[in-house]
Amino acid sequence: MARVARWSIAHRWVVVAGWLILTLVGGLAAAQSGHRLSYAFDLPGQPAYETNTAILARFGSGGDNPPLVVAVRLPAGATVTSAGVKGELGAVFGAAARALPGARVASWISTGDRAFVSADGRTTFELVYPVPAFSASNPYAVALPRLTAALAGQRVDGSPVYITGSEILSSGGKSGGGSVLAETMLAGLGALVILAIVFGSLVALTPLLIAAVAIPSAFTLVYALTYLTTMSFLVQNILALVGLGVAIDYALLIVTRWREERGNGLDNRAAVLMATATAGRSVLFSGVTVTVSLAALALTSVPFLRSIGLAGMLIPLISVVVSATLLPVILDAIGPRLEWPRRRPARTLSPLWTRIGRGVVAHRAWAAAGALVVLGVLIAPVAALNLGEPEAVAEAATAPAPARVGLDLLTSSGIGVGVLRPTEILLPAAASRPAPGGGITVTEPAAWSRDGLRVADAWSVADPSTSQGKAAVTAIEQAAARVPGARVGGTQAQDADFITALYGRNLLIIVVAIAVVTFVLLARGLRSLWLPVKALLLNLLSLSAAFGVLTFVWQQGHGTGALFDSPATGAITLWVPLAVFALLFGLSMDYEVFILTRINEEYASTGDTGEAVVRGIGRTGRLVTSGALILCLAFIALGGVPVTDVKILATGLAAGIIVDATVIRGILAPALVALLGRFNWWLPAPAARLLRVTPLRPAAPARDPASLP
């Protein structure tokens, strides 16, 4: 790292020009990448996904694209069979069908099936499956506006017509997510405030500048990847906001060390080179570790998660390169002038965190026990974790008013939520219709037959994410299994496939592989066998606490009303725990590496474990908490996306990073290091030879940590 910094300083204009070009190209790539990103959630090889693909190919709609639902409730005393009402319903439902040419539709008017009418005869609905032309890129981005325009002002016997559906509710009624630029600017503003407090001078701008270069440069590579593989629309948010936190973290570590070395009497260039040789090594080590952890997503068989993993792997690597090249150039050229308006020498040793470190070392057993109790309370709700799509009533909290009213019409009339996500059954022409019973409706419009295949829709009153809804899907699958040639699709069946694809045996293999590789990297970098084991166990606790918070807040609904104006979701979105695992594992390991490498350095110079912990926490505690707070602000900004799934992800990441930086890295990690004493650096000769490192030998004689004041 020092050699790279020395080369960069000697060729500063080449470095500046190169990054300026990449930043400008990246800005253009970010602006152009939107139409190349995918909104699909494919699961190649899974039975429900393959059935959905066959339905879409044969009938042009449906499968894993749930229908739009046109709903109307007649005035008191009127029913769908009332004089004149049938004609008005026919006109409204016909207008919906004409607005989306080729759409697959079904209603009481077109089928005569009373399943489309409530028990009191006052509420009825139409299922509208848009064709691929309207849903191939961003589902319903074109279909919904066309349908809304066609039904604007339409009434049946004086009652308004409402459009609802699973897609409208889950996306907040918008064709895309929130503005990535707006979210990043909001998080960047919060980061600037925190950095200004930490540095008290214009140096606060340097970490933001590094992030402003790293993020667009990463977008350049993401745009190139769109020509090679499927990239999800979610990579925009992940890349921008996670990139903001990671790039600032790396720059913050180097700038803080640069200040420290200047305070130790080195001239500016020597301080820059020393900072890149020490803190820069931690940055490189951390960046590689984070990249390895994000391989959990890149190695999955699920395309949209794989794309998040690929994008996530890019940002730490690019942040490391920018921090190793551009940052030394800036500090060497104008670093001292950026200390304005600070008048006194900057302090890099935090008095607060030094006191915390001494308190933890002095009461190491109690500190560890207290931290474990807090973590136990946070982890306890994980036992009730339910994977599935959020319940419709929770997603409706961010949806437009007409979609919420339409949902209310369906639920209050007794029709239920199940019609929003019907189970689709693909049948041979001569096959009988499955009859699951148990209050499950099965409808098969005559028009839904083509080229020797038919489609039937089945649903229950219950929300598909509830236990009753899942039981209904199981009953439908069992009934279909008794019909030769029948295949089950729809979003509910694909949810089950999702769990199999994401959390089956393959994930266990990937996680074990990542743990082994991370262990080897940490063992080499820290020259210890115990410290890597401790780091991995603490990451497990950190992740479990994040999952516990997700379950407690979102699934059980404690605080969602006050924080998000939303009721309990009843389930945690299928892909969120894996995404939280991959992202939080890497980010948490960042902080562990920052702290342990500094403790290692202090131990090598003092030979005293307790003093090394106190000095290490004193030097890194403020840095870690500042970086965590910046990341937390980034994830809060991510939570501004009007999509419940993204809000759940943001909550898990924000809560996880704060718990990790305070309870785990601020208290539990140093307490355990203090408890283990010299055994932290136990490295048998065979292991040292295998890892090709020499055991850590302190320069000063070791003292008993218990003798510390």
Side-chain angles (χ1 to χ4, degrees), residues 41 213 279 328 437 439 457 463 567 625 627:
F41 294 84
V213 172
D457 272 9
D463 189 295
T625 50

Side-chain angles (χ1 to χ4, degrees), residues 52-382:
N52 288 333
T53 301
I55 292 173
L56 187 61
R58 186 64 59 93
F59 295 90
S61 61
D64 64 341
N65 289 330
L68 296 171
V69 180
V70 180
V72 61
R73 174 177 288 170
L74 303 177
T79 65
V80 295
T81 57
S82 301
V85 170
K86 186 174 182 179
E88 293 183 32
L89 281 174
V92 168
F93 291 160
R98 289 191 298 274
L100 305 176
R104 184 156 53 93
V105 300
S107 66
W108 175 71
I109 296 296
S110 63
T111 66
D113 192 336
R114 291 285 298 188
F116 291 92
V117 182
S118 62
D120 62 5
R122 290 179 53 201
T123 304
T124 187
F125 64 95
E126 180 181 38
L127 299 178
V128 182
Y129 287 97
V131 297
F134 300 135
S135 59
S137 174
N138 183 353
Y140 314 104
V142 177
L144 180 57
R146 290 193 180 188
L147 187 59
T148 301
L151 299 183
Q154 294 273 15
R155 289 181 173 269
V156 177
D157 201 13
S159 297
V161 177
Y162 298 98
I163 304 171
T164 189
S166 175
E167 176 64 25
I168 308 174
L169 298 174
S170 63
S171 66
K174 295 178 171 56
S175 59
S179 167
V180 177
L181 178 61
E183 295 158 17
T184 309
M185 292 293 290
L186 178 62
L189 181 62
L192 180 59
V193 172
I194 295 170
L195 292 170
I197 295 172
V198 171
F199 289 111
S201 68
L202 292 178
V203 171
L205 296 174
T206 54
L208 279 175
L209 179 60
I210 297 305
V213 172
I215 294 171
S217 300
F219 266 111
T220 303
L221 298 180
V222 167
Y223 185 75
L225 283 174
T226 62
Y227 288 92
L228 301 175
T229 186
T230 300
M231 299 298 288
S232 170
F233 73 99
L234 289 173
V235 303
Q236 302 173 98
N237 307 91
I238 300 298
L239 197 68
L241 297 173
V242 174
L244 181 71
V246 168
I248 287 177
D249 270 355
Y250 293 166
L252 191 60
L253 186 64
I254 293 175
V255 171
T256 300
R257 189 58 182 259
W258 165 75
R259 269 188 159 184
E260 180 184 336
E261 297 302 338
R262 288 191 71 218
N264 291 337
L266 293 182
D267 64 53
N268 187 56
R269 177 161 295 183
V272 171
L273 295 176
M274 181 61 73
T276 52
T278 53
R281 179 176 177 274
S282 296
V283 165
L284 177 61
F285 183 24
S286 177
V288 172
T289 306
V290 172
T291 301
V292 169
S293 70
L294 286 168
L297 294 184
L299 295 176
T300 64
S301 60
V302 182
F304 93 92
L305 279 176
R306 185 168 62 241
S307 71
I308 293 175
L310 290 171
M313 291 170 64
L314 290 175
I315 193 63
L317 291 178
I318 291 176
S319 297
V320 167
V321 177
V322 179
S323 298
T325 56
L326 183 60
L327 184 55
V329 169
I330 295 171
L331 294 178
D332 181 73
I334 60 173
R337 291 196 291 273
L338 291 175
E339 290 287 14
W340 183 87
R342 179 181 287 277
R343 299 182 184 275
R344 293 178 297 175
R347 288 191 307 182
T348 56
L349 182 65
S350 168
L352 172 62
W353 279 101
T354 299
R355 288 195 298 272
I356 292 174
R358 289 204 180 277
V360 168
V361 170
H363 307 284
R364 63 202 74 175
W366 285 107
L372 289 172
V373 168
V374 172
L375 291 172
V377 172
L378 294 174
I379 293 171
V382 172

Side-chain angles (χ1 to χ4, degrees), residues 382-568:
V382 172
L385 178 64
N386 175 37
L387 293 175
E389 294 299 320
E391 293 181 15
V393 66
E395 293 188 316
T398 56
R404 292 199 305 270
V405 175
L407 174 64
D408 180 67
L409 295 186
L410 296 173
T411 54
S412 61
S413 66
I415 293 173
V417 182
V419 298
L420 299 182
R421 291 201 292 141
T423 297
E424 297 226 277
I425 308 170
L426 186 62
L427 298 162
S432 60
R433 183 191 305 179
I440 297 172
T441 297
V442 180
T443 185
E444 185 189 345
W448 293 6
S449 178
R450 186 173 300 170
D451 301 331
L453 290 175
R454 302 140 45 207
V455 172
D457 272 9
W459 64 82
S460 71
V461 174
D463 189 295
S465 294
T466 63
S467 57
Q468 297 90 338
K470 291 181 178 180
V473 176
T474 300
I476 294 169
E477 290 175 335
Q478 291 172 347
R482 294 191 289 269
V483 178
R487 301 164 61 187
V488 176
T491 59
Q492 297 166 279
Q494 192 159 306
D495 285 352
D497 282 358
F498 230 110
I499 294 174
T500 301
L502 295 186
Y503 302 102
R505 180 173 173 270
N506 289 339
L507 178 62
L508 179 61
I509 295 173
I510 291 171
V511 170
V512 170
I514 289 172
V516 170
V517 173
T518 303
F519 174 84
V520 172
L521 289 172
L522 291 174
R524 275 186 56 85
L526 300 173
R527 291 189 279 179
S528 164
L529 294 184
W530 287 119
L531 289 178
V533 171
K534 178 184 69 66
L536 290 169
L537 290 176
L538 292 185
N539 266 26
L540 177 62
L541 290 175
S542 178
L543 288 163
S544 299
F547 297 153
V549 171
L550 277 183
T551 306
F552 183 79
V553 173
W554 278 104
Q555 181 178 313
Q556 299 175 352
H558 300 287
T560 51
L563 295 173
F564 304 100
D565 194 25
S566 172

